[in-house]
């Protein structure tokens, strides 16, 4: 459904030329939940923006349903890493969440329902009338998540969506994302730094190398589909997988060569 | 104040023509206000409205485009316009110098303690006129020339009449050509009149005219004629009734009541003085105001 | 810098507004006192620059004249209409030009060419077209005020936060929606400044047009007072225009407090 | 290539407008709207040779002095007023009072204090140019991001460093908006100031043409004013692009 | 050295009144490293801003060396949660780090040295000439950290400073903070969401309750002073402590009553 082919992005400007992404190729099936991890600055946000049609790749292409993505496709929602700046300061929380729904042309009653549910799901029911800048960092980030959730997208792109929330809330939100994914069958590309989170959430984990960025590894998470915070994280297979990913990220950061056997390293 | 006469019914029950006249709200145009008040215009089927603009920049284009039927302007401006081919034509006398040296409604003034005694001393001095290259500098030069000075050595500065008393007082200029009511203001501060430039330019100099566009003259000669007649009557009346003039001034100007009696009123002869205009045209031409002499025959009614 | 000082915790907003008003009155009073003192010290002659008290006297007589109120109404009408036209035209054009880069490039040189053309140079044109009609005033007022708004809008449009813009695009907001929900609120603070600038320019031009062309209004009255050497009356009328300026600004600030409650410049003054 | 494109973009609309003007007035018999051909003819005659040094140059000098003085005054005052709420409350009504006074009325007052020479004209220009810069500076300073302010405060960035590195920079996009506004206002005020007690200058000459019914010459003067505005804006853009390179980069950063 | 006494902060404005912090009292000794955890929106940032003298408490007070803090004290550095907005966009990375040093009046050579070292420590040596907005989220956050580090403060306040960086970098930065703390004897108040991080870093962990916010628990981390990522995190005592804190945060989030025995719960 979502194909990234030979993606390359070079930023130039301000006297700097940075090859943010060198060559990325991978595929997401419809309804898949894939996590992306990689060292800081390796190009995860760049990748996401290219997939979202917000940034034109220098070369390579992104295909959605076989058609090239050149502009943001409809029915796609993005949670930006810069959550603070992605909320509109001139709108109250409720309006921020509602705006995309209005754009979708949903009737008023349905919009209200979605907004209320989404805010409740992220634990912000009583902040609906506040302005974003009256909220704490974590609350702002949750508003951005609520906006994406309420949108009921077909494809959901999330860039470190839980970076600013506390451990417990994070766990709850992780479960929320999986719930949503189950319920709506949405395709999710999820960027995170938390390796446990990547393994806990994803069906697959894509590990990016450090710059010059390529796909270092694509790891299938062979954990049972029904996951919960207590048991899944206690599972020895989980531990094995996370240790493997951690090593990969570490190696990626140090710029070590790719390990030869990809799949069985975690076993 | 004079009770406004009810507009006399125009002959034949015809609707009166609505006539707009562009004027400057100064002393000089008192006759037209007075004439309107006396019904000289309404009795000739004209419903007169005065539009007060600040000068030629607003009035001449207004008349040319037909926004105003008539306008008031000083003769030099009209001559310049004519020589440039602006399609306008004088229709009635406007205002004239009193012709009395030292007792004119405008003059060259200096501060009381100024070393300047006569127009001759103006050579090399800074003199304020309201507009450069106009009647002011031409007539001031005439005074200097007449007094035996070098007219080419006078330096002119452009300052509007209302600001002249202050400029003179502050010493920003050495002398100023002012007209009433600024003249009274200067004299009240101890200023002296060193020359009457209009008098020095030509005897009984005609200073301003009422004019209209060639187009109106051609399209509606009757209206022009009626305006001319009414104007003549107004001028004559004003010239003969200085008290009523002072009275009418309170209706359209804000001249201080205390200084009203002391104002020197200009002359309002019914007809322009052709000879004085020829003299002015000659002097203006010397000053380079226009390359080709204006056609006075066409300009002067 | 007292805006940022801690301790500004949470004073009741109304009380603050009260202090603000008093400070403003004090500021005006200081100005007027200075204008009273300057001519009294002999720096300039009171004949040409009358002290405040003398102007106040003239103003007192002025306001008893019904013709003054007619003139005031005339000026305000020209001002309000001109400002309305200029603002709407400026905002619409500005958003359009600002949102479409090609248009912006195409029009930039023409805008820069037209802006410095002084309204006073257009006076003959205005008289030629409309005489002393209010339309003359409107033409001049609109011409001058339009650029003020337009330029502010152009700069405001450029101020859109790229992340906010990307958010809007990614959620499928189409151009009109992006203009309404992202671009417009971003530009609004600039627009407010533009309107405040334009409001004063419109007033200035309304009066100037009346002054020079003689369209009925305060300006024409000022012209009469000037020509008649009625110095205190002239200043009294000028003071009226100044007071109008103060009132207009009060109105603009009130609107701003409502529409820009979310903006840093306004919220910074409520919360510490 | 890029230069050619930009040139094309800059010239396209003006050329179209001039062509329209040319044909619309080709057979004009209106005294006040001469044909563009006549105007351009007059332009060549009038604005060459001695006039450039006698009239245009002094005007330009006055304009530049006035404009620069206005920038300094307005930015200084704007920073003070913008960063102190109480100062703003105190000063704003008084400033608004003065701001609403039309230059044609104000000039005589300025003449009382500044005489009738160049100083007066420069003061008039300053007086008109100050407002857009002042207002924009005030608003720009008020809108400095609170996190940046906190950062500066916590790192002890105070006094002139705070001013230079934080307040002025953060407000600079808006300050430049005001400066751009004022540039053309400055030209307008240059003309207005030269309507009073002037003996030379671009505005003076244009007014003389107007009074002398030299209408094509007057139009050519207006053309020159427009041209001047355009040229100055080009210079301004170079300065702005340098000073705000970070800002334009930031705004463009994600659009490439 | 740093005393927080009965701190209370109520935000009001925009038609909302939020009691962000109800009553906080605790003390930091000179040279202590204390971590603060608590649910999202409980007032951690508010607390930090009050301590930094950036925000006036509604009641209560903050004392530094016995003197009340009313303005930012000198020799204090803050790493803000909103890292993106706390960098000056008109300055290059190097200038951003250098500015506070210049303010301190350090000579040029010394400044250069500090900047270079700090940037190297956070792994951004080659980004010195870039503008902040040319960097990835994690890189921006690291610039903010570098700025604080280069400042060599006496008191260092950090608000979720590692939220946007990847696991490996995070571990490196944690060690950097502890190094710095050892080397300079700086007093550190460290807000984090990562409970492992809190336990790994801190000498004590302060757990805040959810709103209305009070100190729920002050826990001394009785791990040896020499910590390293591998062994410390493998230590069973570490696991016990983190589990205890996690439970506390969970309970705090659910608004459960405070447990009666505070200290020995983790044992
Ligand atoms: N400027 C403000 N105006 C109004 N309310 C505010 C403001 N800043 C914070 N608050 C409120 O105060 C409470 C505490 O906010 P704070 O930012 O201190 O939380 P926090 O503990 O840092 O949360 P997080 O971990 O999510 O960053 C929240 O309910 C928030 O909505
Ligand atoms: N607008 C930009 N201009 C220039 N360079 C940029 C820009 N945005 C990103 N880069 C560079 O591209 C590279 C990748 O950035 P990106 O934001 O994609 O990283 P990331 O993987 O999301 O990192 P993080 O995990 O820290 O958010 C970085 O080196 C960064 O400096
Ligand atoms: Mg990123
Ligand atoms: Mg926080």
């Amino acid at each position: 459904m979502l194909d990234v082919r030979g993606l390359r992005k070079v930023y130039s400007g301000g006297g700097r030329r940075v090859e943010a992404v060198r060559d990325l190729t991978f595929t997401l099936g419809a309804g898949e939940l894939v996590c992306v991890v990689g060292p800081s600055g390796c190009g995860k946000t760049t990748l996401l923006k290219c997939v979202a049609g917000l940034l034109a790749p220098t070369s390579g292409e992104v295909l959605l349903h076989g058609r090239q993505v050149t502009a943001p496709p409809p029915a796609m929602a993005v949670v930006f890493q810069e959550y603070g700046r992605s909320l509109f300061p001139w709108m109250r929380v409720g309006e921020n969440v509602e705006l995309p729904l209005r754009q979708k042309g949903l009737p008023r009653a349905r919009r209200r329902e979605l907004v209320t549910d989404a805010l409740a799901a992220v634990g912000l029911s009583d902040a609906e009338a506040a302005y974003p800048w009256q909220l704490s960092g974590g609350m702002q980030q949750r508003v951005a998540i609520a906006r994406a959730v309420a949108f009921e997208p077909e494809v959901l792109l999330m860039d470190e969506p839980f970076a600013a929330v506390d451990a417990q809330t994070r766990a709850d939100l992780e479960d929320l994302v999986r719930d949503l994914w189950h319920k709506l069958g949405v395709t999710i590309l999820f960027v995170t730094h938390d390796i446990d989170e990547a393994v806990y959430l994803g069906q697959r984990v894509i590990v990016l190398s450090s710059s010059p960025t390529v796909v270092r590894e694509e790891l299938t998470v062979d954990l049972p589909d029904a996951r919960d915070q207590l048991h899944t994280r206690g599972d020895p297979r989980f531990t094995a997988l996370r240790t493997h990913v951690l090593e990969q990220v570490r190696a990626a950061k140090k710029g070590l060569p790719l390990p030869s056997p990809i799949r069985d390293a975690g076993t | 104040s004079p009770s406004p006469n009810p507009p006399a019914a125009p002959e034949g029950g015809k609707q009166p023509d609505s006539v707009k006249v562009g004027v400057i709200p100064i002393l000089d145009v008192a006759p037209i206000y007075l004439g309107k008040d006396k019904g000289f215009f309404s009795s000739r089927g004209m419903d007169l409205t005065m539009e007060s603009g600040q000068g030629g920049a607003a009035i001449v284009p207004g008349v040319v485009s037909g926004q105003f039927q008539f306008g008031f302007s000083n003769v030099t401006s009209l001559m310049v316009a004519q020589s440039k081919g602006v399609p306008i034509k004088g229709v009635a006398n406007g205002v004239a110098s009193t012709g009395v040296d030292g007792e004119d409604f405008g003059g060259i003034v200096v501060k009381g303690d100024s070393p300047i005694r006569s127009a001759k001393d103006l050579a090399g001095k800074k003199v304020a006129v309201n507009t450069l290259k106009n009647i002011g500098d031409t007539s001031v030069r005439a005074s200097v020339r007449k007094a035996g000075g070098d007219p080419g050595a006078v330096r002119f500065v452009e300052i509007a009449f209302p600001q002249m008393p202050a400029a003179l007082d502050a010493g920003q200029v050495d002398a100023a050509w002012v007209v009433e009511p600024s003249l009274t203001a200067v004299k009240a501060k101890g200023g002296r009149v060193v020359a009457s430039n209009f008098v020095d330019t030509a005897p009984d100099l005609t200073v301003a005219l009422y004019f209209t566009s060639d187009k109106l003259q051609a399209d509606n000669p009757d209206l022009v004629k009626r305006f001319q007649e009414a104007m003549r009557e107004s001028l004559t009346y004003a010239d003969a009734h200085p008290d009523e003039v002072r009275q009418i001034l309170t209706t359209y100007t804000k001249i201080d009541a205390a200084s009203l009696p002391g104002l020197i009123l200009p002359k309002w002869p019914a007809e322009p003085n052709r000879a004085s205009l020829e003299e002015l045209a000659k002097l203006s031409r010397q000053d380079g105001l226009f390359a080709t002499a204006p056609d006075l025959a066409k300009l002067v009614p | 810098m007292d805006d940022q000082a801690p301790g500004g915790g949470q004073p009741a907003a109304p009380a603050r507004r009260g202090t603000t008003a008093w400070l403003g009155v004090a500021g005006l009073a200081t100005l007027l006192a200075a204008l009273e003192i300057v001519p009294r010290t002999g720096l300039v002659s009171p004949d040409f620059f009358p002290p405040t008290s003398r102007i106040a006297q003239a103003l007192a007589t002025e306001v008893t004249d019904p013709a003054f109120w007619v003139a005031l109404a005339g000026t305000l009408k020209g001002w309000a209409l001109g400002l309305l036209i200029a603002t709407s035209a400026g905002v619409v054009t500005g958003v359009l030009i600002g949102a479409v880069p090609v248009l912006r490039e195409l029009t930039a040189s023409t805008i820069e060419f037209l802006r410095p053309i002084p309204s006073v140079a257009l006076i003959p044109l205005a008289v030629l077209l409309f005489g002393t009609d209010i339309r003359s005033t409107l033409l001049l007022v609109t011409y001058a005020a339009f650029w003020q708004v337009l330029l502010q809008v152009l700069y405001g449009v450029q101020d859109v936060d790229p992340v906010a813009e990307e958010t809007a695009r990614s959620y499928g907001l189409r151009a009109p929606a992006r203009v309404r929900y992202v671009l417009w609120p971003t530009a609004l603070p600039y627009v407010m400044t533009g309107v405040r600038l334009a409001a004063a320019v419109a007033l200035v031009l309304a009066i100037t047009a009346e002054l020079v062309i003689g369209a009925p209004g305060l300006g024409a009255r000022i012209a009469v007072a000037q020509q008649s050497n009625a110095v205190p009356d002239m200043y009294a009328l000028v003071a009226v225009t100044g007071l109008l300026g103060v009132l207009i600004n009060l109105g603009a600030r009130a609107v701003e407090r409502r529409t820009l409650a979310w903006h840093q410049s306004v919220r910074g003054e409520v919360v510490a | 290539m890029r230069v050619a494109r930009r040139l094309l973009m800059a010239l396209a609309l003006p050329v179209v407008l001039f062509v329209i003007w040319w044909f619309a007035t080709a057979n004009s018999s209106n005294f006040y709207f001469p044909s563009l051909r006549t105007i351009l003819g007059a332009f060549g005659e009038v604005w060459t040779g001695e006039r450039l040094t006698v009239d245009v140059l002094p005007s330009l000098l006055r304009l530049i002095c006035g404009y620069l003085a206005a920038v300094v005054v307005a930015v200084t005052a704007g920073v003070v007023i913008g960063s102190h709420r109480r100062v703003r409350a105190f000063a704003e009504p008084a400033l608004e009072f003065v701001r609403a006074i039309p230059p044609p009325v104000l000039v005589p007052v300025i003449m009382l204090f500044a005489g009738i020479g160049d100083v007066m004209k420069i003061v008039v220009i300053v007086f008109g140019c100050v407002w857009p810069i002042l207002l924009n500076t005030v608003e720009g300073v008020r809108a400095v991001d609170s996190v940046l302010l906190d950062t500066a405060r916590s790192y002890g960035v105070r006094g002139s460093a705070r001013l230079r590195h934080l307040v002025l920079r953060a407000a600079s996009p808006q300050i430049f908006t005001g400066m751009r506004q004022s540039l053309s206002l400055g030209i307008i005020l240059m003309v207005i100031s030269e309507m009073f007690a002037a003996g030379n200058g671009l505005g003076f000459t244009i007014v003389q043409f107007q009074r002398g019914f030299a209408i094509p010459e007057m139009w050519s003067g207006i053309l020159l004013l427009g041209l001047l505005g355009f040229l100055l804006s080009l210079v301004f853009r170079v300065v702005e692009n340098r000073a705000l390179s970070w800002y334009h980069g930031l705004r463009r950063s994600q659009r490439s």
Side-chain angles (χ1 to χ4, degrees), chain D residues 182-198:
Chain D
S182 288
L183 197 61
S184 52
L185 272 187
I187 300 178
I188 293 176
L189 282 151
M190 173 190 89
V191 173
I192 292 185
S193 74
E194 287 173 0
M195 289 166 72
F196 294 83

Side-chain angles (χ1 to χ4, degrees), chain B residues 26 51-54 58 61-62 65 67-68 162 165-166 169 181-182 185 189 252-255, chain C residues 45 47-48 62 127-132 211-214 221 224-230 233:
Chain B
I26 48 173
E51 304 280 359
S52 54
Q54 216 180 25
S65 71
Q67 299 288 344
F68 311 144
D169 192 59
S182 298
K189 291 220 88 177
Y252 74 93
T253 74
K254 289 198 160 239
I255 297 174
Chain C
S45 159
D47 290 344
F48 309 127
E62 190 67 32
V127 176
L128 219 51
L129 293 175
F130 306 121
T132 53
L211 195 75
V212 180
I213 302 177
R221 269 180 99 75
V224 170
Q226 261 184 346
Q227 300 282 6
S228 307
N229 258 25
D233 298 71

Side-chain angles (χ1 to χ4, degrees), chain C residues 35-206:
Chain C
L35 296 181
E36 173 82 25
I37 292 165
V38 166
R40 290 198 184 279
T41 56
L43 198 63
V44 281
S45 159
D47 290 344
F48 309 127
F49 193 78
T52 308
S53 52
R54 180 72 194 80
I55 297 174
Q57 262 175 31
L59 186 59
T61 29
E62 190 67 32
V63 295
T64 57
D65 184 350
F68 164 77
W69 295 103
V70 175
L72 184 63
T75 301
L76 285 180
K77 190 172 154 203
W79 168 78
L81 272 176
L83 183 62
L84 190 72
I85 299 171
T87 308
S88 349
V91 167
V92 172
T93 323
V95 167
L96 199 69
I97 293 178
V100 186
V102 180
L103 275 185
R104 187 172 190 150
E105 273 185 85
L106 269 177
T107 52
S109 54
T110 310
I111 290 175
E112 295 307 333
F113 186 88
L114 290 177
R115 276 173 58 225
I117 292 177
S119 279
V120 278
L122 297 179
I123 284 176
L125 183 71
V127 176
L128 219 51
L129 293 175
F130 306 121
T132 53
D133 208 298
I134 188 170
R135 284 173 297 169
S136 270
T137 315
L138 281 184
L139 176 73
L140 300 182
V141 169
T142 309
Y143 184 83
F146 171 75
W147 302 116
Q148 307 277 323
V149 181
L150 179 70
L151 207 84
Q152 294 283 142
V153 178
L154 285 181
Y155 272 83
V157 165
Q158 168 182 295
D159 202 31
V160 171
D161 188 321
V163 180
E165 168 78 9
E166 281 179 354
T167 306
R169 291 214 295 142
S170 72
Y171 280 104
L173 267 70
R174 274 173 293 275
R178 289 209 300 276
V179 165
R180 173 158 168 220
Y181 295 112
V182 182
L183 191 141
W184 174 246
T186 306
L188 197 55
Y190 285 81
V191 176
M192 287 302 299
T193 307
V195 172
R196 286 177 61 212
L197 283 168
V201 165
L203 187 63
V204 162
L205 256 294

Side-chain angles (χ1 to χ4, degrees), chain A residues 127 130 133-140 142 164-166, chain C residues 271:
Chain A
W133 36 269
Q134 293 179 316
L135 302 183
S136 78
M139 292 160 93
Q140 289 178 20
R142 284 182 279 153
V165 298
D166 61 282
Chain C
V271 186

Side-chain angles (χ1 to χ4, degrees), chain D residues 16 26 36 40-41 44 52 60 83 115 120 125 129 135 138 166 181 192 199 213 237 252:
Chain D
V16 169
L36 182 56
L40 292 181
L52 287 179
L60 268 181
S83 31
M120 177 274 278
I125 293 173
C129 286
L135 258 62
V138 168
L166 173 62
Q181 291 263 28
I192 292 185
F213 304 97
R237 194 178 301 176
R252 268 196 303 269

